[in-house]
Amino acid sequence: MSHDQRPVSGLSSRIDIALSLEENKPDTRTFPDLGSPVSPLRSRTGGPANTSSSSSSSGSFSANRTLPGTRKSGEISSGSGESSPTGPRPVHRRSGSTGPLIYSGGSSSGHNSSGHTSGGASSGVGTGGSSTASSPMTNVLPAGNICPSGKIGRPGAVPPRTSTRSDVLGTGTGNYGHGSIMWGGSVPASSPNSSNFQEATKRGNEYYKRGLFLDALRCYDKAVSLSPDNASCRSNRAAALIGLGRIGEALRECEEAVRLDPTNGKAHYRLAGLNLRMGLVDNARKHLSLAAHGQPPDQAEMRKLQDIEGHSTKCIDARRIGDWKSTLREADATVSAGADSSPLIFALRAEALLKLHKLDEADSTLAGLAKLESSVPASPPMKVFGMISGSYIQIVRAQVDMALGRFDTAVAAAEKAKQLDPTNTEVTSLLNKVRLVAQARLHGNELFKSGSFADACTAYGDGLKHEPFNPVLYCNRAACWSKMGRWEKSVEDCNEALRIQPNYTKALLRRANSNAKLERWTDCVRDYEVLRKELPGDKEVAEGLFHAQVALKTSRGEDVSNLKFGGEVEAVSTLEQFQAAISLPGVSVVYFMAPGNAHCNQIAPFVNALCTRYPSANFLKVNVNDSHAVARAENVGIVPTFKIYKNGTRVKEMICPSQQILEYSVRHYSL
């Protein structure tokens, strides 16, 4: 990508004449979209050539006759590496300048003000902003050869276009504004810092194009330190920050860029994209309008904005009427449309999951929200559901924490909501409810520890009056019923807890124990099997499952005399021993091995672990070097080989299986 190239002052008179013939033509300049770098390049809409305009303190001009490669000082094209847009670029006059007109060369060739070659360019990102009107021309010329042939073109000649590739990046789906960086330079060439500035920016550009955003950021930091008032440098730095996911810092850099240069279209486009990611549609619409400089905003970005606005509005409307499935669906659609950094949308999603009894997903969503809040700035105050948005987010967090038994953090979140919105009656009411539930749970725990199980049962019940969908209070009350020998009531409360939180392991274990007391062995085994999948290394669960299985078999009149719990892998040497072992009721896992075999040595510790993990299965080991009769009878020629038998019938055979496949098979036939 080429640096800006500028003609000698001798060209200004003939260019001024050309422009004077066209000065009353309307300004038709369009700005490129700064979409996600992961999106495909798309062609700029419009005619065969795009025109551009520039304004000064006294007014503006425009022209139909254009010179190629003109670009606002301080900008480069998108990460495509091409500096030429889809059509020739118009002449620009420096803002506030009474000096000669300047133009930028195309992506392949150009001329400098003295007739010498200059301006070799790296692709991807730029070297800074524009120079002042009083600076000499030499102060804005980059170093290097901008004529690929090495020849100096005739003064005033229009360099031929060598590329038709668009410099407009597609809009993407998430990383808005992180594809187009800017060229330029505002450090005078005579300054001792000029070469350092150019080198820092050039290296940053190279790192950025390679996706090394942290290295690019370090280089841009150096460039900004050398030219802190350069809007283009600030915009470059913002692009690297977006690549690193540091949305808040990128937003501040873009805001600084437009403060330094309010007409900087690319910085406005980046601000529009960042605001869309945060779900701030009105702010995004404003910056899209400012970026267009009076022209219609980019239609692709407007469609994206309308998609986000439409889905977020539907999400809020669904929440108002308590349609939680629609709330969840529209929240996910809003994120997919591009608002992937909106705290409000995350909170709506978490609340919908809570109401749908998907507590783990709600908690995971809030964890993402907490991470998001640390990287994005606080949203401007706005009302949702009659409360300030920040207060609503804290209210959702309090409810999820309370449902998961984190009562202290729930109270803290509700108190923060009250601080943010002190006059809101709904917030005040919810804070009082959270405090009452937390107090009831604390009082019940104290009574339970003292052995007052009936009073503890009453205390937990008082908490459920305020919050009837709290699985922790139901599970705690089930423990009280168990202590009082009221197993049916215990099962009922466990059922309620598991209806709200289906994978609540403590409630599962409590219900399994209560079903065991009621000798409901089928239900007991079912709960233990679920627990075994959730807690595969838990010895208490494994032992409980084994005893429940034995009791179930006994109730059916099956022989359980040979069943045993746990132990080590049993070695089998004779064919008679082997046949007797696999004929035992239940599941037998046979491991055919050979000492010294690398694969056997590698998997042996895992087999021992499985023996402990699945105590209801009978694990056998056959050394094929010592037990030739068994190996021949079972047709084993490769080790390690595993065979699984159930009630004497072979159901599975595996040769050199992975640990994952072996455990899956053992679990499948054992449970």
Side-chain angles (χ1 to χ4, degrees):
M1 186 179 296
S2 302
H3 286 272
D4 292 347
Q5 300 118 28
R6 299 172 175 79
V8 296
S9 59
L11 291 177
S12 63
S13 60
R14 68 182 75 179
I15 296 172
D16 282 329
I17 292 171
L19 288 174
S20 67
L21 298 176
E22 305 291 344
E23 62 184 357
N24 294 321
K25 294 293 179 69
D27 184 358
T28 59
R29 181 176 183 181
T30 60
F31 285 85
D33 161 52
L34 298 181
S36 167
V38 300
S39 306
L41 293 169
R42 71 171 185 271
S43 300
R44 187 194 305 269
T45 58
N50 293 325
T51 60
S52 177
S53 68
S54 176
S55 62
S56 67
S57 59
S58 60
S60 64
F61 65 87
S62 63
N64 284 344
R65 177 180 176 182
T66 61
L67 291 176
T70 302
R71 181 169 56 244
K72 184 172 180 180
S73 175
E75 300 182 354
I76 69 162
S77 63
S78 303
S80 63
E82 298 289 344
S83 62
S84 300
T86 56
R89 297 179 180 172
V91 175
H92 281 240
R93 187 187 300 276
R94 293 177 190 279
S95 177
S97 171
T98 59
L101 293 172
I102 63 174
Y103 72 93
S104 300
S107 64
S108 298
S109 64
H111 308 280
N112 67 13
S113 61
S114 61
H116 294 94
T117 60
S118 65
S122 64
S123 60
V125 262
T127 56
S130 59
S131 60
T132 62
S134 60
S135 301
M137 292 298 292
T138 57
N139 288 352
V140 295
L141 290 176
N145 186 356
I146 60 174
C147 297
S149 65
K151 298 178 181 180
I152 301 174
R154 177 173 57 83
V158 177
R161 292 193 59 81
T162 61
S163 172
T164 60
R165 190 172 177 184
S166 171
D167 65 350
V168 180
L169 286 178
T171 56
T173 58
N175 291 325
Y176 297 97
H178 123 219
S180 183
I181 316 297
M182 304 183 178
W183 284 100
S186 63
V187 178
S190 59
S191 168
N193 289 327
S194 176
S195 61
N196 292 337
F197 174 80
Q198 297 287 344
E199 176 63 22
T201 310
K202 180 180 178 181
R203 290 181 63 189
N205 299 347
E206 294 168 352
Y207 284 132
Y208 182 91
K209 188 176 181 183
R210 290 159 56 192
L212 303 174
F213 301 122
L214 186 59
D215 292 324
L217 180 62
R218 294 191 184 103
C219 294
Y220 295 145
D221 284 344
K222 183 176 181 180
V224 169
S225 69
L226 294 171
S227 183
D229 294 331
N230 187 311
S232 299
C233 287
R234 295 285 183 177
S235 190
N236 286 359
R237 188 173 187 273
L241 288 166
I242 293 172
L244 292 168
R246 292 156 64 173
I247 305 302
E249 294 175 74
L251 189 76
R252 288 188 288 271
E253 283 298 303
C254 286
E255 289 173 343
E256 179 64 11
V258 297
R259 186 190 69 80
L260 294 167
D261 180 8
T263 65
N264 192 314
K266 291 189 176 182
H268 279 298
Y269 262 111
R270 262 195 202 101
L271 279 170
L274 290 167
N275 277 284
L276 277 180
R277 290 186 67 175
M278 294 187 295
L280 303 176
V281 175
D282 291 338
N283 286 354
R285 185 181 285 111
K286 178 187 72 174
H287 286 292
L288 283 175
S289 177
L290 290 171
H293 288 268
Q295 300 299 317
D298 181 272
Q299 292 305 302
E301 291 300 311
M302 286 303 298
R303 284 194 295 272
K304 188 192 310 297
L305 183 149
Q306 290 162 5
D307 284 345
I308 292 173
E309 185 175 37
H311 287 302
S312 61
T313 299
K314 290 178 182 178
C315 181
I316 290 171
D317 290 344
R319 191 270 183 192
R320 282 197 177 99
I321 62 175
D323 183 354
W324 300 112
K325 289 184 178 179
S326 296
T327 302
L328 179 60
R329 182 180 63 250
E330 293 299 332
D332 288 340
T334 305
V335 173
S336 297
D340 60 355
S341 301
S342 170
L344 177 60
I345 296 300
F346 271 65
L348 283 163
R349 186 177 193 276
E351 185 180 26
L353 289 166
L354 171 68
K355 300 299 184 181
L356 294 170
H357 305 317
K358 298 181 179 180
L359 295 187
D360 288 342
E361 290 184 62
D363 193 36
S364 177
T365 299
L366 285 182
L369 174 58
K371 184 177 179 180
L372 184 65
E373 287 175 326
S374 67
S375 63
V376 302
S379 300
M382 57 180 290
K383 287 278 188 177
V384 287
F385 318 122
M387 65 185 81
I388 294 173
S389 58
S391 180
Y392 165 72
I393 291 170
Q394 294 300 325
I395 288 297
V396 172
R397 181 173 282 121
Q399 293 181 86
V400 173
D401 283 337
M402 186 165 60
L404 291 170
R406 300 191 292 255
F407 292 92
D408 292 340
T409 54
V411 171
E415 288 175 344
K416 188 172 182 179
K418 176 70 173 177
Q419 292 172 2
L420 293 170
D421 201 354
T423 61
N424 188 284
T425 55
E426 185 177 351
V427 173
T428 301
S429 175
L430 193 135
L431 172 60
N432 292 335
K433 183 176 81 169
V434 172
R435 284 173 172 168
L436 288 171
V437 174
Q439 290 171 0
R441 179 254 191 175
L442 180 62
H443 184 48
N445 288 356
E446 292 172 347
L447 291 169
F448 186 90
K449 290 176 182 177
S450 67
S452 303
F453 303 122
D455 292 337
C457 204
T458 301
Y460 294 133
D462 290 341
L464 287 167
K465 292 176 183 177
H466 300 292
E467 179 53 46
F469 298 103
N470 191 284
V472 175
L473 294 180
Y474 277 116
C475 191
N476 286 2
R477 192 169 70 176
C480 296
W481 295 127
S482 295
K483 290 293 185 179
M484 293 186 289
R486 301 182 64 177
W487 314 114
E488 286 283 2
K489 299 290 290 183
S490 176
V491 169
E492 289 175 7
D493 274 355
C494 287
N495 289 340
E496 284 298 314
L498 290 165
R499 184 180 62 82
I500 300 167
Q501 189 178 357
N503 60 345
Y504 190 3
T505 55
K506 187 176 288 188
L508 274 169
L509 184 60
R510 201 151 278 161
R511 187 172 70 180
N513 290 333
S514 296
N515 278 321
K517 296 294 184 181
L518 294 167
E519 297 186 357
R520 295 173 180 170
W521 300 116
T522 300
D523 293 337
C524 182
V525 168
R526 185 184 303 117
D527 284 341
Y528 274 123
E529 286 175 344
V530 174
L531 286 165
R532 195 78 177 108
K533 294 176 182 178
E534 295 289 331
L535 306 170
D538 192 297
K539 188 174 181 180
E540 179 184 353
V541 170
E543 188 171 356
L545 174 59
F546 173 77
H547 291 303
Q549 289 173 329
V550 170
L552 179 60
K553 290 178 183 294
T554 301
S555 68
R556 293 173 177 172
E558 298 179 17
D559 181 19
V560 296
S561 58
N562 292 316
L563 290 179
K564 60 183 178 61
F565 172 72
E568 299 179 352
V569 179
E570 180 182 354
V572 174
S573 58
T574 68
L575 187 58
E576 292 74 15
Q577 286 179 319
F578 174 79
Q579 291 174 342
I582 64 173
S583 299
L584 292 174
V587 174
S588 297
V589 180
V590 185
Y591 166 39
F592 294 89
M593 48 77 66
N597 180 277
H599 292 295
C600 292
N601 292 340
Q602 183 178 8
I603 204 167
F606 186 69
V607 175
N608 292 330
L610 290 179
C611 183
T612 303
R613 208 173 289 172
Y614 299 94
S616 61
N618 185 29
F619 283 81
L620 308 172
K621 177 172 64 175
V622 177
N623 182 343
V624 297
N625 292 340
D626 295 337
S627 305
H628 301 291
V630 178
R632 281 195 302 269
E634 292 296 309
N635 196 26
V636 174
I638 300 174
V639 292
T641 291
F642 290 85
K643 296 188 179 186
I644 300 177
Y645 295 83
K646 191 163 189 177
N647 298 325
T649 302
R650 188 175 67 200
V651 293
K652 184 75 172 178
E653 179 174 354
M654 297 165 283
I655 299 174
C656 300
S658 67
Q659 293 183 3
Q660 291 80 4
I661 291 176
L662 178 58
E663 179 165 17
Y664 172 81
S665 300
V666 172
R667 180 172 64 245
H668 175 74
Y669 290 106
S670 297
L671 299 181

